[in-house]
């Protein structure tokens, strides 16, 4: 056996050295999945495969970077750089840059982030004269995104009777028109959104078989990480690229498929054997991460799911401590108990803040934990908050870079045409927009040809627009022959942004100025790292890189040694010595929106499995018996998922700490296992008649179906309050969740 392979166990070794033909590696949590991917690639190169012929698709840019570094240690840094490795979006953005002209795009096309896309949709909703409370940009964006991930173009969307019927039922019949206009505007602006990077790759391979043939020959070996999280669009790209050689290795775990809400299709991994009947299957079942208690409890949970690939995850690690269950009277008390527990564990075991993670089902749950941690002076970091690249001043400067690289970028143009202020008001900009729409051309084309397009703009405003165009053009001509940092620094200065922020001496202004300096420092580092003797690193290179960063890629040194707060979805792929899974209540986790079918409930259970398996040494589950929802205090009951854990893995004692100080001794309080939760929805609260109760109200109970004149049929999922303020929360399939005052709602009981 080669020296570099000696650290692998038998299952890992087989998955690494069997490199020919299709194979699937089912990797249980903590079983060394990344290690197998890394060594498989290194082994291919050691066996003589050219790194340029290997394509490896990862879940995050961070994962790709770490794997390249590990591979470099085995085979050498220069060879590792030649592997095509990154996320689906980053790899296929690179291919689209090279082939953009085939589908009518400039090679320097802009990549719109989610906020850019929503801003454009918001503009279109306004231009269409639609109600933005009904046509919320977020809802429209999600609808368009879902269509693209299923490879449904705007034209196909408008011709699909089922889809259009669904939109009509939801009271939003014009989403198809918005989608069509949105795609036209993106094309006009030379822009693609995140979903387009995959959608357009499929179009490119479908319409240009010569291009597909070229990349089929280039990528003789394909490796796909987290295959269970691929959507239909990603699945088709992989299938097309692998069709020639069929040297496809997919790695994943069906038990950790948790992204159905954004189009991931678990059937991609479950049906792999149908696509490749002669495939080899390897199972990585030894968990190196967690204690026996945690591993066996997780196994017991996931066995409740019917739709899965069978595997027996085990570990040689110590038994470890039982899983603690903490019961609190309210969400605020839950925050205090968790913060106190972290404080005590830190003191007792000499731990760092970064050893702890608090995981929750929704971002909205973070408040009580933030407050409690602040009171104890425990530093924390929230994943999923406002990332560095979403701050206003950063987006402003990036908009200058984007417009310099792609003059037709409409969102960038609108963002900076009058920032810093140069006397070009909203009325003037509106004239430009109207004319651009009339002429079906870009704002830049209008602004660059004011003499040609007779606009009702005074001479002063015309000169200011012309000066702006001249400035951007001066940046554009230097784009491909100036190092990224040098040009970025000049743009920040010449645009007036640096001076404007420097002159603002408020604390916010100082912070914004420092953020700009930090961005320029980052570009300097990027330039130095990527420049070679053969080529310089340009601003468009940086723009590609930064457009595809994810929250997990944005770790900063100052974020080290902090307690991590994050949603379970964000925690995928991470691990922590001490994990707290909070809000373990029915209708919160599992979510009340996931109780309509077995498929949805099984995804929630997989999410719980992912949460449990993040823990290395200690796991705590926490729930509150009351919680504020929509401004009202509601009763809660323990999650059915707690009940699904065998009692032998649960600590039936838990600490309720005095509220005065975490330093004082804790007293023990007996925890009796929660009584079995009903497998349907929440029990009704406040149903006993009382003084002032309207007798008709008593006909409404949780779980019954009702009809509403505007929203259609739905199901009551919660009732609270007393007459005349008694409210029902009703889930309507077509419009979502609504809270209605019963005395006005006129709900008709339909069963």
């Amino acid at each position: 056996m080669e020296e570099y392979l000696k650290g692998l166990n038998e299952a890992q070794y087989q998955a690494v050295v069997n490199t020919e033909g299709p194979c699937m590696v089912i990797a249980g949590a903590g079983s060394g999945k990344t290690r197998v991917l890394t060594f498989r690639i290194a082994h291919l190169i050691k066996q003589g495969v050219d790194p340029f012929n290997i394509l490896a698709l990862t879940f995050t840019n961070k994962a790709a970077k770490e794997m390249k570094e590990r591979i470099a240690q085995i085979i050498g840094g220069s060879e590792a750089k030649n592997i095509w490795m990154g996320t689906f979006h980053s790899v296929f953005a690179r291919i689209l840059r090279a082939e953009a002209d085939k589908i009518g795009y400039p090679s320097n096309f802009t990549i719109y982030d989610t906020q850019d896309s929503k801003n454009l949709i918001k503009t279109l909703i306004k231009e269409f004269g639609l109600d933005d409370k009904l046509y919320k940009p977020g809802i429209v964006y999600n609808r368009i995104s879902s269509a693209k991930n299923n490879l449904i173009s705007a034209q196909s969307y408008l011709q699909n009777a089922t889809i259009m019927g669904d939109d009509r039922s939801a009271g939003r019949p014009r989403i198809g028109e918005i989608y069509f206009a949105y795609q036209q505007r993106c094309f006009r602006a030379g822009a693609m959104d995140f979903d387009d990077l995959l959608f357009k790759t499929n179009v490119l391979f479908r319409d240009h078989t010569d291009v597909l043939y070229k990349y089929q020959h280039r990528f003789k070996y394909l490796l796909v990480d987290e295959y269970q999280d691929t959507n239909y669009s990603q699945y088709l790209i992989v299938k097309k690229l692998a069709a020639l050689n069929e040297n496809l290795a997919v790695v994943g775990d069906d038990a950790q498929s948790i992204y159905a809400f954004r189009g991931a299709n678990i059937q991609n991994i479950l049906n792999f054997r149908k696509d490749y009947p002669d495939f080899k299957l390897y199972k990585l079942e030894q968990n190196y991460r967690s204690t026996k208690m945690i591993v066996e409890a997780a196994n017991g949970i996931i066995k409740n799911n019917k739709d899965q690939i069978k595997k027996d995850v085990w570990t040689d690690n110590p038994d470890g401590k039982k899983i603690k269950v903490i019961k609190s009277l309210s969400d605020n008390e839950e925050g205090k108990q968790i913060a106190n527990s972290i404080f005590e564990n830190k003191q007792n075991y000499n731990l760092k803040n970064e050893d702890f993670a608090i995981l929750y089902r929704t971002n909205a749950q973070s408040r009580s934990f933030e407050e409690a941690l602040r009171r104890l002076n425990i530093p924390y970091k929230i994943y999923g908050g406002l990332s560095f690249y979403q701050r206003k001043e950063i987006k402003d400067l990036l908009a200058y870079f984007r417009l310099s690289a792609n003059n037709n970028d409409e969102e960038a143009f609108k963002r900076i045409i009058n920032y810093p202020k140069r006397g070009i008001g909203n009325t003037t900009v509106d004239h430009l927009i109207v004319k651009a729409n009339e002429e079906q051309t870009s704002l830049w084309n209008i602004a660059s040809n004011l003499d040609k397009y007779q606009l009702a703009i005074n001479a002063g405003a015309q000169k200011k627009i012309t000066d702006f165009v001249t400035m951007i053009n001066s940046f554009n001509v230097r784009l491909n022959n100036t190092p990224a940092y040098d040009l970025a620094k000049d743009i920040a200065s010449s645009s007036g942004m640096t001076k404007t922020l420097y002159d603002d001496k408020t604390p916010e202004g100082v912070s914004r100025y420092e953020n700009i300096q930090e961005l320029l420092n980052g570009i300097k580092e990027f330039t130095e790292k990527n420049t070679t003797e053969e080529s310089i690193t340009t601003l468009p290179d940086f723009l590609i890189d930064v457009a595809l960063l994810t929250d997990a890629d944005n770790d900063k040194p100052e974020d080290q040694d902090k307690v991590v707060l994050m949603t379970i979805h964000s925690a995928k792929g991470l691990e922590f010595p001490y994990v707290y899974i909070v809000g373990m209540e029915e209708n919160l986790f599992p979510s009340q929106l996931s109780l309509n079918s077995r498929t949805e409930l099984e995804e929630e259970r997989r999410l719980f499995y992912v949460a449990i398996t993040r823990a290395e040494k200690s796991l705590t589950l926490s729930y509150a018996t009351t919680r504020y929802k929509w401004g009202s205090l509601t009763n809660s009951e323990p999650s059915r998922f707690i009940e699904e854990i065998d009692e032998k893995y649960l600590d039936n004692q838990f600490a309720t700490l005095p509220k005065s100080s975490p330093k004082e001794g804790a007293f023990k309080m007996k925890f009796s296992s929660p009584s079995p939760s009903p497998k349907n929805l929440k029990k009704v609260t406040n149903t006993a008649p009382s003084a002032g109760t309207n007798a008709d109200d008593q006909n409404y109970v949780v779980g019954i179906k009702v009809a509403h004149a505007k929203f259609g049929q739905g199901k009551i999922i919660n009732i609270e309050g007393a007459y005349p303020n008694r409210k029902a929360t009703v889930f309507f399939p077509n419009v979502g969740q609504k809270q209605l005052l019963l005395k006005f709602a006129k709900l008709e009981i339909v069963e």
Side-chain angles (χ1 to χ4, degrees):
M1 184 189 290
E2 294 84 348
E3 190 65 34
Y4 65 94
L5 297 176
K6 284 185 177 173
L8 301 173
N9 66 33
E10 181 58 24
Q12 292 172 336
Y13 176 79
Q14 293 300 330
V16 164
V17 300
N18 289 290
T19 56
E20 303 305 302
C23 84
M24 180 163 66
V25 181
I26 296 297
S31 63
K33 167 175 68 73
T34 306
R35 187 176 175 81
V36 164
L37 274 171
T38 303
F39 277 84
R40 189 178 171 95
I41 293 168
H43 185 66
L44 281 167
I45 296 168
K46 286 273 191 180
Q47 299 303 305
V49 176
D50 189 330
F52 283 103
N53 295 142
I54 299 171
L55 171 61
L57 297 165
T58 61
F59 197 63
T60 63
N61 295 303
K62 186 179 178 184
K65 181 169 174 275
E66 288 173 357
M67 282 173 59
K68 269 194 178 179
E69 287 169 357
R70 289 195 209 177
I71 293 166
Q73 290 169 4
I74 302 171
I75 63 166
S78 58
E79 285 295 278
K81 282 183 179 177
N82 297 331
I83 304 162
W84 280 65
M85 182 185 289
T87 63
F88 273 89
H89 291 90
S90 64
V91 166
F92 295 111
R94 184 176 167 188
I95 288 174
L96 286 171
R97 293 270 176 210
E99 312 290 347
D101 60 308
K102 309 276 195 316
I103 53 174
Y105 274 82
S107 61
N108 279 343
F109 62 81
T110 297
I111 299 172
Y112 277 176
D113 66 17
T114 303
Q115 199 53 54
D116 294 322
S117 296
K118 287 181 180 177
N119 287 343
L120 174 53
I121 288 168
K122 193 174 180 181
T123 298
L124 291 168
I125 289 166
K126 185 179 177 184
E127 289 178 10
F128 276 63
L130 299 170
D131 180 357
D132 61 3
K133 290 185 178 61
L134 182 60
Y135 286 87
K136 291 180 178 175
I139 290 174
V140 177
Y141 171 80
N142 289 337
R143 192 77 172 144
I144 292 172
S145 175
S146 177
K148 287 185 183 180
N149 285 329
N150 286 291
L151 299 183
I152 299 168
S153 67
Q155 293 91 332
S156 299
Y157 191 105
L158 285 166
Q159 291 163 9
N160 188 306
T162 303
I163 293 174
M164 295 297 287
D166 289 344
D167 285 346
R168 278 193 297 275
S169 298
R172 289 183 280 266
R174 300 188 67 186
I175 285 182
E177 293 174 64
I178 298 171
Y179 181 11
F180 190 83
Y182 172 79
Q183 282 305 103
Q184 284 187 316
R185 289 285 264 275
C186 283
F187 185 74
R188 201 165 82 192
M192 294 189 200
D193 63 21
F194 285 147
D195 298 312
D196 279 329
L197 296 174
L198 303 178
F199 184 91
K200 300 292 185 188
T201 300
N202 271 294
V203 170
L204 176 69
F205 289 165
R206 181 196 69 197
D207 296 348
H208 299 274
T209 50
D210 56 325
V211 176
L212 173 61
Y213 188 71
K214 177 170 85 173
Y215 288 104
Q216 284 176 335
H217 278 78
R218 174 172 295 174
F219 302 134
K220 293 183 169 64
Y221 293 86
L222 271 74
L223 300 93
V224 185
D225 192 12
E226 307 285 11
Y227 191 65
Q228 77 281 350
D229 291 326
T230 52
N231 60 32
Y232 180 61
S233 184
Q234 292 165 324
Y235 162 78
L236 269 191
I237 292 170
V238 170
K239 200 162 188 292
K240 286 177 182 175
L241 285 175
L244 184 65
N245 298 296
E246 287 203 346
N247 291 322
L248 170 64
V250 302
V251 183
D253 181 5
D254 57 298
Q256 297 185 65
S257 176
I258 59 172
Y259 291 110
F261 69 94
R262 68 181 189 201
N265 186 356
I266 192 173
Q267 296 306 318
N268 291 350
I269 196 164
L270 296 177
N271 291 337
F272 189 80
R273 67 184 69 233
K274 292 181 183 174
D275 289 333
Y276 306 96
D278 58 340
F279 85 111
K280 299 188 189 83
L281 175 66
Y282 304 98
K283 293 182 182 180
L284 307 183
E285 296 173 308
Q286 182 176 358
N287 180 299
Y288 291 93
R289 176 187 300 156
S290 307
T291 63
K292 279 193 176 75
M293 285 285 178
I294 292 167
V295 169
E296 290 173 13
N299 285 346
I301 285 284
I302 205 63
K303 276 178 181 160
N304 288 292
N305 274 12
K306 291 186 175 177
D307 213 5
Q308 60 178 297
I309 297 169
K310 190 179 183 311
K311 60 184 172 299
D312 297 305
V313 179
W314 58 277
T315 185
D316 269 342
N317 290 341
D319 287 351
K321 294 180 284 189
K322 289 187 175 185
I323 298 167
K324 284 193 178 72
V325 180
I326 294 181
K327 170 184 175 183
S328 303
L329 298 177
S330 67
D331 42 358
N332 279 340
E333 189 195 339
E334 181 184 39
K336 289 174 188 172
Q337 291 214 68
I338 299 301
N340 289 344
S341 174
I342 291 172
F343 186 97
E344 286 220 324
N345 279 317
K346 274 183 64 182
Q347 302 301 311
N348 293 342
Y349 303 110
N350 195 27
L351 300 169
K352 296 178 179 178
N353 294 308
E354 64 190 29
D355 291 333
F356 298 90
I358 300 173
L359 308 182
Y360 34 72
R361 181 65 181 81
T362 65
N363 274 311
Q365 290 169 252
S366 73
R367 179 196 56 80
S368 63
F369 303 101
E370 290 185 68
E371 290 176 0
L373 291 168
R374 278 200 299 267
R375 285 195 192 98
L376 298 182
N377 293 318
I378 299 174
Y380 63 88
K381 167 185 169 54
I382 295 182
Y383 272 73
L386 187 67
S387 79
F388 179 77
Y389 291 99
Q390 290 299 320
R391 291 174 176 146
K392 180 188 180 298
E393 62 277 10
I394 301 301
K395 290 208 77 170
D396 289 338
L397 186 51
L398 288 175
Y400 272 100
F401 299 165
R402 281 168 42 178
L403 192 63
S404 301
N406 171 17
N407 294 157
N408 291 327
D409 186 336
E410 194 168 296
E411 292 304 307
F413 183 99
K414 289 190 292 188
R415 188 175 188 99
I416 59 171
I417 180 70
N418 195 38
Y419 179 78
K421 289 191 184 302
R422 51 178 61 91
I424 302 173
N426 290 339
T427 304
T428 300
V429 175
D430 286 344
H431 281 301
L432 293 172
I433 292 171
V434 169
K435 181 57 72 172
N437 288 341
E438 284 176 2
E439 300 290 334
Q440 290 291 291
T441 189
S442 67
L443 287 170
W444 180 261
N445 188 34
I446 302 296
S448 303
N449 297 281
L450 292 175
D451 293 339
K452 176 181 173 184
Y453 301 105
Q454 299 297 312
L455 278 75
I457 298 175
N458 63 47
Q462 287 196 33
K463 183 179 186 308
K464 287 164 187 168
I465 292 171
T466 302
D467 289 346
F468 174 73
V469 167
T470 303
M471 176 179 68
I472 298 296
N473 276 330
S474 73
F475 302 148
N476 180 266
V477 295
R478 300 172 57 198
L479 204 63
N480 296 315
N481 56 21
T482 308
Y485 173 73
D486 296 344
L487 182 54
K489 189 180 174 190
D490 288 351
I491 291 175
S493 174
S494 302
S495 66
M497 266 197 70
T498 308
K499 184 178 187 305
T500 298
L501 294 175
Y502 181 79
D503 290 345
D504 182 356
K505 299 302 183 186
T506 64
E508 295 79 13
V510 172
S511 175
R512 285 194 284 266
Y513 178 76
E514 289 172 349
N515 285 339
I516 290 296
Q517 297 308 312
E518 179 61 30
L519 176 63
L520 293 173
N521 291 341
I523 298 173
K524 176 79 170 173
E525 184 183 342
F526 178 83
T527 305
E528 290 175 351
K529 189 169 71 175
N530 292 283
T531 298
T532 64
E533 289 180 14
E534 295 82 29
S535 64
I536 62 170
T537 302
T538 63
L539 205 52
D541 294 327
F542 174 75
L543 286 173
I544 297 169
D545 189 70
V546 79
L548 297 166
L549 285 176
T550 64
D551 201 44
D553 301 319
N554 289 335
D555 280 349
K556 296 280 186 291
E558 62 269 23
D559 287 331
Q560 301 305 310
D561 200 29
K562 293 183 178 180
V563 174
V564 169
L565 277 68
M566 65 199 326
T567 64
I568 302 165
H569 283 102
S570 301
K572 180 92 181 302
L574 303 177
E575 55 191 43
F576 305 91
Y578 285 69
V579 168
Y580 296 83
I581 308 173
V582 299
M584 290 296 305
E585 296 142 37
E586 280 294 294
N587 297 336
L588 183 54
F589 194 21
S591 161
Q592 65 187 28
L593 299 179
S594 69
L595 302 177
N596 299 315
S597 70
R598 174 175 295 281
T599 302
E600 292 170 341
L601 183 59
E602 290 202 350
E603 171 125 347
E604 287 287 293
R605 191 176 285 112
R606 290 194 295 271
L607 190 59
F608 185 44
Y609 177 82
V610 166
I612 290 175
T613 54
R614 298 312 93 201
E616 296 171 358
K617 295 179 180 175
S618 171
L619 176 63
T620 301
L621 308 178
S622 163
Y623 70 94
T625 56
T626 61
R627 185 175 295 272
Y628 274 96
K629 293 179 183 174
W630 308 292
S632 298
L633 193 65
T634 59
N635 292 333
S636 306
E637 59 185 52
S639 168
R640 69 187 69 192
F641 293 153
I642 297 178
E643 179 199 337
E644 290 178 0
I645 300 175
D646 193 310
E647 283 191 19
K648 68 184 177 186
Y649 303 121
L650 294 176
D651 184 351
N652 67 353
Q653 298 270 328
F654 68 89
T656 302
L657 298 166
K659 295 180 182 177
S660 55
S661 167
K663 296 176 186 176
E664 297 170 12
F667 62 92
K668 293 287 183 185
M669 182 174 166
K670 193 77 174 172
F671 170 72
S672 55
S673 290
S675 56
S677 309
K679 297 300 179 224
N680 51 6
L681 292 143
K682 278 177 64 169
K683 59 189 177 190
V684 186
T685 58
N686 296 325
T687 55
S690 59
T693 299
N694 182 333
D696 289 344
D697 275 0
Q698 297 311 303
N699 295 326
Y700 300 117
V701 293
V702 169
I704 66 166
K705 289 184 180 177
V706 292
H708 185 274
K710 180 179 178 184
F711 304 131
Q713 286 199 11
K715 182 184 281 189
I716 294 179
I717 57 175
N718 189 42
I719 293 180
E720 59 195 55
Y723 184 83
N725 298 315
R726 200 152 184 256
K727 298 173 187 172
T729 304
V730 186
F731 178 74
F732 297 99
N734 291 330
V735 295
Q737 195 170 289
K738 299 286 182 185
Q739 191 176 53
L740 306 169
L741 201 59
L742 285 173
K743 68 176 180 179
F744 295 130
K746 296 181 181 174
L747 295 175
E748 180 185 342
I749 296 172
V750 295
E751 71 170 15

